[in-house]
Amino acid sequence: MANNKLNRMTSRDDDFSKWYTDVVTQANLIEYGPVKGTMIFKPYGFGIWELIMQNLDKEFKKLDVENVYLPLLIPASLFQKEKDHIEGFAPEVLTVTKVGDKQLDEDLYIRPTSEVLFSQYFKNNIQSYRDLPIKNNQWVNVMRWEKNTRPFLRTSEFLWQEGHTMHSTPQEAQEFARTMLDVYTKFANEYLLLPVVPGIKTEKERFNGAKETYTIESLMYDGQALQSGTSHYLGDNFSKVYDINFQNKESGVEHPYGTSWGVTTRLIGALIMTHSDDQGLVLPSKVAPTQVQIIQIKNDDEQIVEVSKKLKQDLMDTFRVKIDDSDKSFGFKISEAEIKGIPLRIEVGPRDLQNGVVTISARDNQEKTQVKLDEVVDFVTKEITNYDERLFTRAKNNLATHTFEAKTIDEYEKGINTKPGLYLVPFCGRVECEEEVKKRTSTNSRCIPFEYDHSEEPCFNCGMKTTIKAYFGRAY
Amino acid sequence: MANNKLNRMTSRDDDFSKWYTDVVTQANLIEYGPVKGTMIFKPYGFGIWELIMQNLDKEFKKLDVENVYLPLLIPASLFQKEKDHIEGFAPEVLTVTKVGDKQLDEDLYIRPTSEVLFSQYFKNNIQSYRDLPIKNNQWVNVMRWEKNTRPFLRTSEFLWQEGHTMHSTPQEAQEFARTMLDVYTKFANEYLLLPVVPGIKTEKERFNGAKETYTIESLMYDGQALQSGTSHYLGDNFSKVYDINFQNKESGVEHPYGTSWGVTTRLIGALIMTHSDDQGLVLPSKVAPTQVQIIQIKNDDEQIVEVSKKLKQDLMDTFRVKIDDSDKSFGFKISEAEIKGIPLRIEVGPRDLQNGVVTISARDNQEKTQVKLDEVVDFVTKEITNYDERLFTRAKNNLATHTFEAKTIDEYEKGINTKPGLYLVPFCGRVECEEEVKKRTSTNSRCIPFEYDHSEEPCFNCGMKTTIKAYFGRAY
């Protein structure tokens, strides 16, 4: 098959990092922006994000979450009130100091996250227990200046949703933070076909300003983990600092309890590093901007043009379908559809049409099936489900074969350096201990899973008796 | 009717400006952000914007426009290349100079608009005539530091869409800019029920960097105009400056021709100042987050609760419908629905239910109709159309009764100061002449309409012979 483009793509087993860059650029997802670490989402890349937004937003709305928009800029003085929070973000916050040539009276921070502004907003909108719970979300851009950037995974500006809620009791807030993690887990599984390990962050890895951080961790093809969504139980940290109060049913005054939760455009990075291969992008059907590409073997044959249009018509109620009727060569069109990770291809050619069939193939296994014209809709409907199942199964296998246990730091160190993956270890949970592990292995804990065997064992690093187990591993 | 809230609303005939602020805050659309001139879109206010986005985006996609996302920050050096463009925006551009405590090597501007970045993007993505036209759009936040701000109308940060296209010929680009103005006109009429005057901006009022600016101007209840959407034909201005080239069919190299076009959250301001009244907001049904509010006269009566649920069930496939089952007083619920401008109210009460009816009233005329339970869906379907028609008719009447002609600057000056509105005047089109008019009357031209009588007449201000006529007036 003539395939000039593919020849330029690095193999993922040879150089995973270079392969990743090849995929994101050759699949036309992004290009680099003029400011360091920024990224232009091209139509195909933004299309994936649009589908993530649309579908995840529906799940939020089912939980009575309402969308809002809070300002981009936060006055420095306001931000500095919550000490842990500012400490965590200060080194990477972009600061506006001027308008035109004029110095501003006060520095303004570009939001790295919006707990601070939401706190102000909640303060103004919560008086009584009747105002609670209050559940808001926004789909916005945020900025965190990063030293080492990679498309989608770590960029100075990224797109995300940040949800913020307030509740009258700690139980309700904590429960809501957990519920949102379940929403993320379900979404990762069903839409992105990402198997994830849900759990709790250790104290060291906790969000600055949170009492507890829940996370879903996914595992990339190369055995490295990727934090794919977090949900924080904030307790009354922000309520106290920003003076948010409500009158309870007994007319007493209390601080409400908060949560915040978010997923970002790095989910697209997770998709790529989980499903894609040496031929380019492989997209789960639910977030594929084009699910079915109809490729005409000739674009000047009347019957081919007609059948293509008819097929598109038949499929478009249920699927996102496109005809490639360009005058590029057939081989080039196939390559393009492959590189872009379009789940199903329908080839419409003269020989097949003589037999009343078209040839359908799936992006992942490339098996070709000849399908009668009047059976195309049925076939596509079934095959797209099978395709998604195959992707999810492969990803689950990858997670399973990269999940290990270790009992000592030596065992862990040797393991992580030879067989990358997630290592379940007995862990004391102390910040200092984790810092030692990090110093020695350059790896972090990923999470304390929700379910594990709680038998008492010595911490894998310091030997202190513990009933906690945590996953450690290298991460993006 | 018990109505504490309404008493606090200023009458629009007494103090239009204060009335406007009362409506936006009491209808719970926004509150002010901590940074001067910024605004928090509360759920109800953002809900209107979501409906505008969803519906307008569909119209863009019909024209094969694809969404993208370009970075927030623009390097100062890059911005400064197009001289007119930077001159127009420089005084109001917010500038990032630091990250944490560290000075950046180069100042970064927060986008006031993105022609500059799109130019870079187009440069990288246009090689041949085959790549044209290229049609992109983004829904984003932008910032322009404003001295005098008003919610929605003029804010330091606002939300908008900015479309950017490139074409191989000036004709095609110009035509596309006009097509987009037609899309805006249609959308303003059909979704926002805003009658608009479409036309061309004078040289003085043209967008910095454009060859031609098309605009739709709407007219508020108080007779002041509001620029409600613009579409610019950029010619090859940006192509030349940013070195965008393509190979034409004859293998020659040419600069492509551009357009850009946008509408902003000020459309919500236009809505308010066109339709709302002394009882609060009045929303066109197509952009009303809640179209039908079911109000229970008692919320502890089993039959009322059941009928309310059933009605909601029946209506929710076609309409955005909510039940107010709170324990607030009936009068308070009515007031709230009024203030929020919900198009139709269904009151479910015990006496009506004995007769198998509910009482339906529309926000604008408050006429009450008793409707049989099994006829509610039909009635609502018809009445919501009638409601929209009444709103549009009223707005058109307001435009008609505020549209005048003037032949001399004296006549215009006297008119604009006693009968505010749009004045069609013979105008030479010169920047200096328009500046004189502005100095004298503090008003601007709004547009040169697409259709008018082209007979030669003396310019209303300088007396120079002209066949051009333009609308002048006071504007937000």
Side-chain angles (χ1 to χ4, degrees):
Chain A
M1 187 189 309
N3 199 332
N4 298 321
K5 275 197 170 179
L6 286 184
N7 293 338
R8 281 185 276 124
M9 184 143 358
T10 310
S11 157
R12 65 179 162 168
D13 290 318
D14 289 349
D15 184 342
F16 192 71
S17 167
K18 186 159 187 313
W19 165 84
Y20 177 75
T21 313
D22 283 355
V23 172
V24 295
T25 51
Q26 289 191 32
N28 234 350
L29 298 179
I30 64 117
E31 64 189 49
Y32 297 96
V35 171
K36 179 178 150 302
T38 64
M39 197 171 94
I40 290 168
F41 287 76
K42 298 173 87 165
Y44 199 59
F46 194 76
I48 300 173
W49 185 238
E50 280 186 308
L51 288 164
I52 291 176
M53 287 197 283
Q54 278 164 25
N55 289 298
L56 193 51
D57 201 66
K58 276 184 209 151
E59 300 303 317
F60 296 158
K61 288 194 163 115
K62 283 183 197 161
L63 295 170
D64 295 322
V65 173
E66 296 181 302
N67 285 336
V68 296
Y69 182 81
L70 269 59
L72 174 72
L73 299 180
I74 308 171
S77 58
L78 190 65
F79 203 96
Q80 283 152 0
K81 283 192 182 176
E82 220 291 353
K83 299 300 172 200
D84 284 348
H85 194 58
I86 181 68
E87 250 178 51
F89 286 109
E92 51 191 46
V93 165
L94 286 105
T95 310
V96 175
T97 61
K98 293 192 298 184
V99 172
D101 294 330
K102 282 187 201 153
Q103 206 69 24
L104 287 167
D105 293 338
E106 179 177 15
D107 285 359
L108 304 174
Y109 295 156
I110 294 182
R111 62 179 163 225
T113 180
S114 304
E115 275 73 11
V116 167
L117 288 184
F118 271 93
S119 294
Q120 281 290 104
Y121 170 67
F122 288 143
K123 183 180 160 61
N124 294 340
N125 288 278
I126 296 171
Q127 277 92 41
S128 138
Y129 69 90
R130 282 197 187 85
D131 302 320
L132 296 171
I134 180 165
K135 302 176 194 166
N136 291 132
N137 175 64
Q138 59 179 9
W139 292 94
V140 296
N141 54 341
V142 288
M143 290 203 75
R144 301 175 187 177
W145 199 251
E146 298 278 359
K147 287 208 186 76
N148 300 307
T149 59
R150 302 187 69 186
F152 296 117
L153 301 176
R154 199 168 287 278
T155 48
S156 294
E157 180 182 12
F158 54 91
L159 305 179
W160 78 343
Q161 59 70 214
E162 48 176 323
H164 298 262
T165 69
M166 281 283 166
H167 306 262
S168 49
T169 68
Q171 293 76 18
E172 190 187 297
Q174 207 153 2
E175 213 169 276
F176 193 80
R178 276 296 308 268
T179 299
M180 200 43 75
L181 199 78
D182 293 344
V183 168
Y184 288 159
T185 303
K186 196 161 169 272
F187 185 79
N189 291 339
E190 291 179 8
Y191 283 82
L192 312 177
L193 310 178
L194 294 180
V196 294
V197 179
I200 305 174
K201 285 285 182 189
T202 59
E203 192 184 339
K204 177 172 175 296
E205 293 296 304
R206 196 180 287 155
F207 177 70
N208 302 101
K211 297 241 184 202
E212 200 80 277
T213 289
Y214 306 115
T215 179
I216 51 171
E217 301 285 321
S218 57
L219 196 83
M220 305 299 97
Y221 174 79
D222 67 344
Q224 289 201 58
L226 185 85
Q227 179 179 303
S228 303
T230 50
S231 180
H232 315 293
Y233 166 59
L234 304 173
D236 55 6
N237 277 356
F238 287 88
S239 296
K240 277 184 177 160
V241 174
Y242 291 96
D243 200 24
I244 312 168
N245 302 293
F246 74 98
Q247 202 164 49
N248 62 25
K249 283 186 188 166
E250 295 75 32
S251 293
V253 173
E254 289 183 53
H255 293 300
Y257 299 84
T259 79
S260 67
W261 28 277
V263 297
T264 77
T265 35
R266 82 186 327 217
L267 282 179
I268 299 175
L271 277 187
I272 297 168
M273 293 197 295
T274 300
H275 302 300
S276 299
D277 62 22
D278 287 356
Q279 276 68 52
L281 196 61
V282 176
L283 283 177
S285 76
K286 290 200 178 72
V287 294
T290 303
Q291 298 174 307
V292 182
Q293 181 104 307
I294 299 172
I295 299 182
Q296 301 174 337
I297 290 184
K298 291 163 139 192
N299 68 354
D300 54 358
D301 178 308
E302 207 173 298
Q303 200 197 357
I304 290 180
V305 171
E306 229 165 79
V307 168
S308 303
K309 279 190 191 160
K310 173 76 168 55
L311 287 176
K312 183 178 175 184
Q313 206 61 41
D314 293 347
L315 290 163
M316 67 189 289
D317 282 346
T318 322
F319 303 100
R320 293 181 288 277
V321 51
K322 267 199 178 166
I323 301 177
D324 185 347
D325 57 4
S326 66
D327 51 12
K328 297 168 193 163
S329 77
F330 177 62
F332 192 87
K333 288 181 188 180
I334 301 280
S335 300
E336 251 193 354
E338 276 180 346
I339 290 176
K340 296 177 81 173
I342 295 167
L344 298 186
R345 270 194 330 257
I346 303 181
E347 299 167 14
V348 186
R351 206 170 307 166
D352 274 354
L353 286 188
Q354 279 178 9
N355 303 316
V357 298
V358 289
T359 300
I360 301 185
S361 53
R363 170 62 181 83
D364 63 326
N365 62 14
Q366 305 286 351
E367 273 168 30
K368 295 189 172 215
T369 312
Q370 293 192 315
V371 180
K372 282 190 195 151
L373 285 177
D374 59 359
E375 292 171 4
V376 167
V377 175
D378 275 356
F379 184 88
V380 166
T381 306
K382 276 180 210 144
E383 181 56 16
I384 216 155
T385 309
N386 295 339
Y387 165 86
D388 279 346
E389 276 173 16
R390 290 195 300 267
L391 259 56
F392 196 36
T393 302
R394 258 192 295 268
K396 281 189 287 194
N397 287 342
N398 188 55
L399 174 59
T401 56
H402 285 87
T403 305
F404 310 100
E405 291 196 8
K407 295 297 178 195
T408 66
I409 184 75
D410 289 339
E411 198 186 334
Y412 171 66
E413 191 179 25
K414 194 181 158 198
I416 200 76
N417 288 330
T418 50
K419 292 181 291 179
L422 288 174
Y423 284 77
L424 191 69
V425 299
F427 176 54
C428 65
R430 293 180 308 119
V431 175
E432 313 86 73
C433 183
E434 188 166 349
E435 271 164 1
E436 269 179 40
V437 176
K438 169 143 196 186
K439 215 169 165 185
R440 175 162 170 182
T441 63
S442 300
T443 67
N444 280 324
S445 71
R446 304 315 311 153
C447 69
I448 299 161
F450 289 120
E451 280 170 28
Y452 57 87
D453 154 32
H454 284 264
S455 61
E456 192 176 81
E457 290 184 67
C459 170
F460 82 125
N461 181 51
C462 69
M464 185 188 280
K465 285 266 178 346
T466 181
T467 58
I468 302 170
K469 288 195 177 60
Y471 279 108
F472 274 69
R474 221 175 287 284
Y476 281 95
Chain B
M1 185 191 311
N3 198 330
N4 298 322
K5 276 199 169 175
L6 285 185
N7 292 340
R8 282 184 276 121
M9 183 139 1
T10 311
S11 157
R12 65 178 162 167
D13 290 319
D14 288 352
D15 185 341
F16 193 70
S17 166
K18 187 159 186 316
W19 164 83
Y20 177 76
T21 312
D22 284 357
V23 173
V24 296
T25 51
Q26 290 191 33
N28 234 349
L29 299 179
I30 64 119
E31 65 189 49
Y32 297 95
V35 171
K36 179 179 150 304
T38 64
M39 195 171 96
I40 290 168
F41 286 77
K42 297 172 87 164
Y44 198 59
F46 194 75
I48 299 173
W49 185 240
E50 282 187 305
L51 289 164
I52 291 176
M53 287 197 284
Q54 278 163 25
N55 289 299
L56 194 50
D57 201 67
K58 276 183 208 154
E59 300 302 317
F60 296 158
K61 287 193 164 119
K62 283 184 199 161
L63 295 171
D64 296 321
V65 173
E66 296 181 301
N67 285 336
V68 294
Y69 183 80
L70 270 59
L72 175 72
L73 298 180
I74 309 171
S77 58
L78 190 65
F79 203 97
Q80 282 153 0
K81 283 193 184 175
E82 220 290 355
K83 299 301 172 199
D84 283 350
H85 194 59
I86 182 68
E87 247 179 53
F89 286 109
E92 50 191 44
V93 166
L94 286 103
T95 310
V96 174
T97 61
K98 292 192 297 185
V99 173
D101 293 334
K102 283 189 201 152
Q103 206 69 23
L104 287 168
D105 293 337
E106 180 178 14
D107 285 0
L108 304 174
Y109 294 155
I110 294 183
R111 63 179 161 223
T113 180
S114 305
E115 275 72 12
V116 167
L117 288 184
F118 272 93
S119 294
Q120 280 291 103
Y121 170 67
F122 288 144
K123 183 180 160 61
N124 295 340
N125 288 277
I126 296 171
Q127 278 89 41
S128 136
Y129 68 93
R130 283 195 188 85
D131 301 321
L132 296 172
I134 181 164
K135 301 176 194 165
N136 292 134
N137 176 64
Q138 59 179 8
W139 292 93
V140 296
N141 54 339
V142 287
M143 291 204 74
R144 301 175 188 177
W145 200 251
E146 298 277 359
K147 288 209 185 76
N148 301 305
T149 60
R150 303 189 67 187
F152 297 116
L153 301 177
R154 200 168 288 277
T155 47
S156 294
E157 180 182 11
F158 55 92
L159 304 179
W160 78 345
Q161 59 70 213
E162 48 176 322
H164 298 262
T165 69
M166 281 283 166
H167 306 261
S168 50
T169 68
Q171 294 75 19
E172 190 187 296
Q174 206 152 4
E175 212 168 275
F176 192 81
R178 275 297 306 270
T179 299
M180 200 44 75
L181 199 78
D182 292 344
V183 168
Y184 288 159
T185 303
K186 196 162 169 270
F187 185 79
N189 290 340
E190 292 178 8
Y191 282 81
L192 313 177
L193 310 177
L194 294 181
V196 295
V197 179
I200 305 173
K201 285 285 184 191
T202 59
E203 191 184 339
K204 177 173 174 299
E205 293 296 305
R206 195 180 288 156
F207 177 71
N208 301 102
K211 297 242 184 203
E212 200 81 277
T213 290
Y214 305 114
T215 180
I216 52 172
E217 300 285 322
S218 57
L219 196 83
M220 306 297 96
Y221 174 78
D222 67 346
Q224 289 201 57
L226 186 85
Q227 180 181 304
S228 302
T230 49
S231 181
H232 314 293
Y233 166 59
L234 305 172
D236 54 7
N237 277 356
F238 287 87
S239 296
K240 277 184 179 160
V241 173
Y242 291 95
D243 200 23
I244 312 168
N245 301 294
F246 74 98
Q247 202 164 47
N248 63 25
K249 283 187 189 165
E250 295 75 33
S251 293
V253 173
E254 288 182 56
H255 293 301
Y257 299 84
T259 78
S260 68
W261 28 276
V263 298
T264 78
T265 35
R266 80 184 330 214
L267 282 178
I268 299 174
L271 278 186
I272 298 167
M273 294 197 294
T274 300
H275 302 301
S276 300
D277 61 24
D278 287 356
Q279 275 68 52
L281 196 61
V282 176
L283 282 177
S285 76
K286 291 200 177 73
V287 293
T290 304
Q291 296 174 307
V292 181
Q293 181 105 307
I294 299 172
I295 300 182
Q296 301 176 336
I297 290 182
K298 292 163 138 191
N299 67 354
D300 53 358
D301 179 305
E302 207 174 298
Q303 199 196 358
I304 289 180
V305 171
E306 228 165 80
V307 168
S308 301
K309 278 191 193 158
K310 171 79 169 55
L311 286 177
K312 184 178 173 184
Q313 205 61 42
D314 293 348
L315 288 164
M316 69 187 290
D317 282 345
T318 323
F319 303 101
R320 293 181 288 276
V321 51
K322 269 200 175 163
I323 300 177
D324 185 347
D325 55 4
S326 66
D327 52 10
K328 298 167 190 163
S329 78
F330 177 61
F332 191 86
K333 289 181 189 181
I334 301 280
S335 299
E336 252 194 353
E338 276 181 344
I339 291 176
K340 295 178 82 173
I342 294 167
L344 298 186
R345 269 193 333 256
I346 303 181
E347 300 167 17
V348 186
R351 204 170 309 164
D352 273 353
L353 286 188
Q354 280 177 11
N355 303 314
V357 298
V358 290
T359 300
I360 302 185
S361 53
R363 169 62 182 83
D364 63 325
N365 62 16
Q366 306 285 350
E367 273 168 30
K368 295 188 172 215
T369 311
Q370 294 192 315
V371 180
K372 284 189 193 151
L373 286 177
D374 59 359
E375 291 171 4
V376 167
V377 176
D378 275 356
F379 183 87
V380 166
T381 306
K382 275 180 210 146
E383 181 55 15
I384 217 156
T385 308
N386 294 338
Y387 165 86
D388 279 346
E389 274 174 16
R390 290 195 300 268
L391 260 55
F392 196 37
T393 302
R394 258 193 295 269
K396 281 189 287 193
N397 287 342
N398 189 56
L399 175 59
T401 56
H402 286 87
T403 305
F404 310 100
E405 291 195 10
K407 295 296 179 194
T408 66
I409 184 74
D410 289 340
E411 199 187 335
Y412 170 68
E413 190 178 26
K414 196 180 157 197
I416 201 76
N417 289 330
T418 51
K419 292 179 291 178
L422 288 175
Y423 284 76
L424 191 68
V425 298
F427 176 52
C428 65
R430 292 179 309 120
V431 175
E432 313 85 72
C433 182
E434 189 166 349
E435 271 163 0
E436 268 181 41
V437 176
K438 169 140 198 193
K439 213 168 170 188
R440 177 162 168 182
T441 63
S442 301
T443 67
N444 280 323
S445 70
R446 302 317 310 154
C447 69
I448 298 161
F450 289 121
E451 279 170 28
Y452 56 88
D453 153 30
H454 285 264
S455 60
E456 193 175 82
E457 287 184 68
C459 169
F460 82 126
N461 181 50
C462 70
M464 186 189 279
K465 284 268 180 343
T466 181
T467 57
I468 303 169
K469 287 195 179 59
Y471 279 108
F472 274 70
R474 222 174 288 283
Y476 283 95

